[in-house]
Amino acid sequence: MIAGLLLAITAFAAPFRDYDRAAGDQYTTTTVTPTTTTSPTTTTPPTTTVGATVTVGGQSTTGGPTTVDTTGTTGTTPGTTDDEPTTDTDTSSPGGEDDGAGAAPDEDLGAGAPTGSGGGTGAGRGTGDGRGTIAFLTITTPPTNLGPSVLKVIGIPAWLASIDPLSVNTLGDIAAGTPFAGIGEGDLDMDKLRGLAKRLGGESVQAVGLSRELPDLLRDFEGLVKPLTGLVLAHQKLDDADDRAIAEAFQRSFARGAVLADIPVIGVELKDSDPSSISYFKKIKGVSSVDNIDTATGQESLMRLLGGAKPGHYGSQKDADALQPPRIVPDTAAAPVTDGSGSLSGSPLLVGLLLTMALLSGRALVTVTRRARAGR
């Protein structure tokens, strides 16, 4: 670094070495004009999803286009009220509560299952087929206003589907050759159901493995099995207790698998939902919620969460964390470039230039002072 400073100072100071050697009061004034290079400014247009007609709950809805700030932030995982451990090393507990949490080890996602591959980089990003990369999974047909409210945010989903009723035969076919084989023999094995659902949720993030069978398993499946950057959930309480237990266990575990694969998962409901499903979503570790999706405020909240905002439970209910998640603020500070050793790359030359400029300023001051004295 010192050598660089000396070289730079020597090179720039050379023209001024003979100031004091000049005869009489003959001085030469030199003007140094720095060259400034201006980088062109490039404006990147927002990513949009082309509107198309999607049927949700028997209604034809035109989704998108949607623009989302996709600058990521680091958030904390919302709290959970279930019995799942704080780490992601879930353990199977036969005969435990049907809450979908901690029902199967995370390694049951299977070889090749995605882990930490998502990141939630935004909503409505297409891949050339007119659809985005957000999935929408409901228990059954959602209320009239819920589906269109979600589609206003996510545009045309990668896929949307309902869970109830699940075909035991299809579950058995999908589980064949996996640790969950025999899931439908006799009574439905709820632990295997949770484990299979978690694996499906994890693999759906990259559209690999068993997730390719989702169109055959889920009801009213519409769309394409493709990599996901986010998952939206809607919960409806079924009247039949057995059907409700199966559908909720599947949805919770599927969502947990997606969370473990590192994409944002958000449960939504209408502002006047009665009963509310927020307590249900809070039992799924890592899942956020929005309790007023049919309002502009709620839709903005969903957009921010899908774009990487701090996870949590947002909306107008009294136990919500806040009305909305914090707005995502891009980090515009440029990080210094280093040469790998921790020192700034190119700094000797840069410091040399600064010192040379200071030297030139001093020389100019000497010149002015001498001329002033000569004019007396």
Side-chain angles (χ1 to χ4, degrees):
M1 177 175 178
I2 295 175
L5 286 173
L6 293 176
L7 287 174
I9 294 172
T10 301
F12 281 87
F16 306 97
R17 290 174 179 170
D18 297 327
Y19 268 122
D20 295 332
R21 300 177 186 174
D25 288 328
Q26 302 299 317
Y27 301 103
T28 302
T29 302
T30 303
T31 302
V32 179
T33 304
T35 302
T36 303
T37 302
T38 303
S39 300
T41 301
T42 303
T43 302
T44 303
T47 303
T48 59
T49 300
V50 180
T53 301
V54 177
T55 301
V56 180
Q59 290 188 334
S60 295
T61 305
T62 300
T66 302
T67 303
V68 177
D69 180 352
T70 61
T71 304
T73 59
T74 300
T76 57
T77 301
T80 176
T81 58
D82 62 306
D83 296 329
E84 185 175 14
T86 55
T87 60
D88 286 336
T89 54
D90 303 342
T91 56
S92 181
S93 52
E97 293 184 8
D98 181 21
D99 60 4
D106 291 341
E107 55 268 23
D108 284 345
L109 296 178
T115 301
S117 58
T121 55
R125 288 188 179 275
T127 56
D129 52 30
R131 288 185 173 271
T133 55
I134 310 296
F136 184 26
L137 180 63
T138 70
I139 293 288
T140 186
T141 303
T144 301
N145 295 333
L146 193 146
S149 297
V150 171
L151 296 187
K152 284 182 180 180
V153 178
I154 70 174
I156 306 304
W159 56 263
L160 58 85
S162 298
I163 298 171
D164 183 67
L166 285 175
S167 168
V168 175
N169 290 334
T170 304
L171 286 170
D173 292 341
I174 294 174
T178 74
F180 318 111
I183 186 174
E185 296 177 1
D187 294 335
L188 183 64
D189 188 320
M190 294 301 293
D191 285 337
K192 289 184 176 180
L193 174 66
R194 296 187 186 100
L196 178 60
K198 182 181 288 186
R199 177 166 173 173
L200 286 168
E203 293 184 343
S204 70
V205 172
Q206 291 185 350
V208 297
L210 301 181
S211 68
R212 298 189 184 97
E213 307 299 326
L214 288 175
D216 294 329
L217 177 64
L218 299 177
R219 182 171 65 87
D220 297 333
F221 188 98
E222 181 178 339
L224 301 171
V225 176
K226 58 190 297 186
L228 303 177
T229 61
L231 174 65
V232 179
L233 307 175
H235 170 258
Q236 301 83 35
K237 188 173 182 179
L238 300 176
D239 293 332
D240 184 85
D242 291 338
D243 291 343
R244 180 170 65 252
I246 293 171
E248 291 183 352
F250 184 92
Q251 188 182 53
R252 288 180 176 177
S253 296
F254 189 97
R256 184 68 184 136
V259 168
L260 292 173
D262 198 23
I263 64 171
V265 180
I266 303 97
V268 299
E269 70 176 12
L270 302 175
K271 63 179 180 179
D272 295 326
S273 295
D274 186 19
S276 172
S277 296
I278 300 304
S279 60
Y280 167 86
F281 294 129
K282 285 184 175 180
K283 291 181 179 179
I284 315 172
K285 184 180 179 183
V287 171
S288 299
S289 66
V290 175
D291 65 32
N292 54 354
I293 190 60
D294 51 330
T295 67
T297 300
Q299 291 162 17
E300 175 68 20
S301 295
L302 177 59
M303 183 180 297
R304 293 182 188 179
L305 289 168
L306 288 170
K310 179 181 178 181
H313 303 283
Y314 300 99
S316 54
Q317 290 188 11
K318 62 181 181 180
D319 58 346
D321 297 336
L323 180 62
Q324 288 186 305
R327 187 180 299 276
I328 302 172
V329 179
D331 184 7
T332 57
V337 179
T338 65
D339 57 9
S341 63
S343 60
L344 294 180
S345 177
S347 59
L349 180 58
L350 176 61
V351 175
L353 289 173
L354 293 175
L355 291 176
T356 301
M357 292 175 64
L359 178 62
L360 293 178
S361 299
R363 290 291 188 180
L365 179 60
V366 171
T367 300
V368 172
T369 302
R370 289 182 177 177
R371 286 182 174 175
R373 290 177 179 175
R376 288 179 180 177

